[in-house]
């Protein structure tokens, strides 16, 4: 059995204006490099979902956590793992669907497009992790 190649990039940056845009650019660059390594291009819907997930998670970190943010992107086993670390220990929670609510739908969107979503608390802060399917035909056991 051939072991799947795992590719990863980590980037730390300061929270602030432009952070989500910068993080989206990093994610698209990562997916472009990943496509060069693994053969066929990454499907456009995967790129768009990744941009959306990265944007929502980084925006939440900027909005609710003081200090730096770490974005980690890791590909392996047919999945892209998007991890955002911030210094705020409290876990984000998705609200119940409410078509009348304006805004604050970010985690609802993330959980809708990601294969899985979890929060891991650490000694300092937390890691918010979303996994996105890279290949529609990936064998994900």
């Amino acid at each position: 059995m051939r072991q799947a190649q795992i590719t990863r990039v980590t980037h730390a940056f300061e929270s602030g204006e432009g952070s989500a845009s910068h993080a989206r650019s990093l994610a698209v660059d990562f997916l472009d490099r990943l496509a060069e390594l693994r053969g066929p291009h990454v499907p456009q819907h995967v790129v768009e979902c990744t941009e959306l997930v990265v944007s929502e998670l980084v925006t939440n970190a900027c909005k609710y956590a003081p200090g730096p943010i770490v974005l980690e992107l890791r590909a392996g086993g047919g999945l892209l793992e998007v991890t955002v670390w911030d210094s705020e220990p409290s876990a984000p929670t998705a609200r119940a669907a409410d078509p009348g609510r304006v805004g604050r739908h970010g985690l609802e969107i993330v959980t809708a497009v990601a294969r899985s979503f979890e929060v891991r608390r650490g000694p300092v802060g937390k890691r918010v992790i979303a996994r996105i399917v890279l290949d529609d035909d990936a064998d994900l056991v």
Side-chain angles (χ1 to χ4, degrees), residues 30-41:
F30 175 78
L31 290 173
D32 287 344
R33 286 193 316 271
L34 183 64
E36 291 171 9
L37 289 173
R38 59 192 290 268
H41 76 285

Side-chain angles (χ1 to χ4, degrees), residues 95-105 108:
R95 297 173 180 256
D98 178 0
R101 184 175 70 238
V102 176
R104 301 183 58 90
H105 294 277
E108 289 174 63

